[in-house]
């Protein structure tokens, strides 16, 4: 019987080569090494939006479902975004855990609307407006981490995440 996947990782398998610039050292050792270098940690803006659109469902999904805590977390911004994701099982949670000590995180916004009919156009506008505002307010950003579910549709944008990327590219 298996006592958990972690105990079997790497058993009887050859180690893969490490890509240049990466290390097998634990993150804490990498962070310590990075903190001893004169260069500042990279600043990464973090944002995300998630909605599982069912385009056959009657009605739409209003902005309020993304903002209020209900069957999903609702809107998280600033330090609350980081606090919420500590120990959770979302993509952003894993990213933040992996980057601890390796980057300065600039939390913008993260919102989850669950599943339902197409999201209102205002959902996309709200997310993009606040994302671009956070980007503009940041002193310096070296990278942007976007947690995009990839299944959001609005009446005006059948590829809502593509529209988010288009708007972001227009200012970067």
């Amino acid at each position: 019987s298996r006592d958990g996947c972690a105990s079997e990782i790497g058993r009887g398998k050859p180690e893969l080569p490490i890509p240049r610039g990466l290390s097998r050292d634990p993150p804490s050792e990498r962070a310590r090494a990075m903190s001893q270098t004169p260069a500042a940690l990279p600043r990464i803006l973090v944002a995300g939006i998630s909605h599982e659109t069912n385009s056959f469902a009657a009605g739409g999904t209003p902005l309020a479902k993304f903002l209020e805590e209900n069957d999903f977390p609702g809107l998280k911004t600033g330090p609350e975004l980081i606090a919420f994701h500590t120990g959770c099982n979302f993509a952003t949670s894993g990213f933040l855990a992996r980057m601890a000590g390796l980057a300065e995180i600039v939390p913008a916004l993260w919102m989850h609307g669950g599943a339902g009919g197409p999201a209102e156009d205002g959902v996309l506008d709200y997310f993009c407006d606040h994302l671009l505002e956070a980007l503009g307010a940041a002193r310096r950003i070296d990278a942007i981490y976007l947690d995009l579910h990839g299944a959001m549709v609005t009446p005006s944008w059948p590829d809502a995440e593509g529209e988010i990327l288009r708007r972001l590219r227009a200012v970067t």
Side-chain angles (χ1 to χ4, degrees):
S1 84
R2 292 172 50 145
D3 60 346
C5 296
S7 65
E8 297 186 19
I9 293 174
R11 235 186 241 175
K13 296 180 182 166
E15 286 198 12
L16 297 173
I18 302 170
R20 194 165 64 161
L22 297 180
S23 167
R24 286 197 202 283
D25 296 333
S28 60
E29 291 179 30
R30 286 196 306 270
R32 189 173 19 264
M34 287 180 74
S35 69
Q36 294 170 358
T37 63
L41 292 176
R43 288 175 44 88
I44 303 174
L45 186 119
V46 174
I49 187 169
S50 184
H51 186 253
E52 182 72 33
T53 298
N54 176 348
S55 58
F56 297 105
T61 304
L63 177 60
K65 183 144 187 208
F66 288 82
L67 301 180
E68 299 165 2
E69 196 162 313
N70 44 60
D71 53 336
F72 285 95
L75 175 67
K76 304 296 179 202
T77 61
E80 179 187 32
L81 184 157
I82 295 171
F84 168 78
H85 280 286
T86 301
C88 284
N89 190 21
F90 290 100
T92 297
S93 307
F95 177 78
L96 293 173
R98 187 68 176 137
M99 291 293 103
L102 299 176
E104 181 183 346
I105 300 300
V106 179
L109 75 158
W110 186 89
M111 49 202 276
H112 200 306
E120 295 175 344
D121 285 342
V123 171
L124 183 87
D125 292 332
Y126 181 95
F127 180 79
C128 288
D129 290 349
H130 286 81
L131 171 62
L132 298 177
E133 181 181 315
L135 183 61
R139 296 184 319 268
R140 170 184 61 87
I141 294 295
D142 298 303
I144 299 171
Y145 174 82
L146 287 176
D147 180 359
L148 303 176
H149 182 268
M152 189 166 84
V153 171
T154 77
S156 298
W157 295 286
D159 177 13
E161 288 85 355
E163 178 61 15
I164 291 168
L165 296 175
R166 187 195 67 74
R167 292 183 191 189
L168 187 57
R169 285 183 189 127
V171 300
T172 58

